[in-house]
């Protein structure tokens, strides 16, 4: 694989939204998932994030992970994916994706390898070739990243760098 497409809510987060008294929306991200995204980049696989929402915390989190190919506030995910893949010169046959709900299906059905978190909607789990053991926001993205790195033959080399 040369690229991996990620949804945010339900994949990189548990899908819940905390709302403060002031109306600020907060999200919880897994450190395991974050390292997975960094390892993908080190392994030569480009992470692409396409999400229906937009928020300052999300932008800060993805920026801190070095993820530069992001579409925020995107309901129709397939055209966004096609635009980014074309710009990168990457075919659908070289792309994996992970999503958890109906808006992710057009991307999951076109990519070479589709995955879903354990707690994804039943229709998405049915469309996936792999369903993680971990739930969204609790290591599902890391499990997906590790799987791609093992399949690419880069996992052991990356692990060795940690001594």
């Amino acid at each position: 694989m040369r690229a991996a497409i990620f949804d945010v809510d339900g994949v990189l987060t548990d899908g819940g939204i905390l709302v403060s008294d002031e109306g600020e929306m907060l999200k919880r991200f897994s450190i395991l998932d974050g390292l997975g995204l960094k390892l993908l980049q080190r392994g030569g696989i480009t992470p692409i994030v396409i999400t229906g929402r937009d928020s300052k915390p999300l932008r800060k989190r993805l920026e801190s992970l070095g993820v530069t190919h992001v579409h925020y506030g995107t309901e129709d995910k397939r055209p966004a994916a096609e635009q980014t893949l074309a710009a990168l010169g990457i075919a659908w046959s070289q792309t994996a994706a992970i999503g958890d709900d109906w808006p992710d299906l057009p991307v999951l059905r076109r990519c070479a390898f589709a995955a879903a978190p354990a707690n994804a909607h039943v229709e998405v789990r049915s469309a996936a070739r792999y369903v993680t053991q971990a739930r969204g926001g609790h290591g599902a993205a890391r499990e997906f990243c590790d799987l791609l790195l093992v399949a690419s033959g880069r996992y052991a080399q990356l692990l060795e760098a940690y001594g």
Side-chain angles (χ1 to χ4, degrees):
M1 295 294 140
R2 292 186 52 210
I5 300 173
F6 295 82
D7 176 36
V8 174
D9 294 319
V11 174
L12 295 178
T13 75
D14 64 9
I17 298 172
L18 301 174
V19 182
S20 72
D21 289 340
E22 293 79 31
E24 181 182 7
M25 293 187 190
L26 306 171
K27 297 175 186 258
R28 178 191 169 280
F29 295 93
S30 167
I31 296 299
L32 288 172
D33 292 344
L35 182 57
L37 288 167
K38 287 183 178 182
L39 292 171
L40 269 190
Q41 293 173 82
R42 291 180 198 154
I45 300 171
T46 302
I48 300 166
V49 172
I50 305 174
T51 177
R53 293 187 168 274
D54 190 2
S55 68
K56 285 183 184 180
L58 173 58
R59 286 179 179 262
K60 287 184 182 205
R61 179 65 177 146
L62 294 176
E63 181 182 313
S64 73
L65 297 172
V67 178
T68 58
H69 302 286
V70 184
H71 293 268
Y72 299 99
T74 303
E75 295 296 323
D76 192 357
K77 295 183 179 189
R78 183 175 147 190
E82 288 173 342
Q83 175 189 6
T84 300
L85 292 173
L88 294 171
I90 298 174
W92 281 107
S93 62
Q94 301 169 304
T95 305
I98 184 168
D100 73 308
D101 211 343
W102 291 9
D104 304 310
L105 286 170
V107 169
L108 295 172
R109 289 181 174 147
R110 290 197 49 94
C111 69
F113 182 77
N119 59 320
H121 187 277
V122 64
E123 297 295 342
V124 177
R125 290 193 317 265
S126 294
R129 288 183 54 196
Y130 181 80
V131 177
T132 64
Q133 292 188 15
R135 297 172 61 82
H138 296 277
R142 176 58 177 277
E143 189 176 332
F144 174 66
C145 292
D146 287 352
L147 186 67
L148 296 179
L149 291 168
V150 168
S152 72
R154 299 176 186 123
Y155 184 90
Q157 178 185 359
L158 290 165
L159 180 61
E160 189 177 301
Y162 284 88

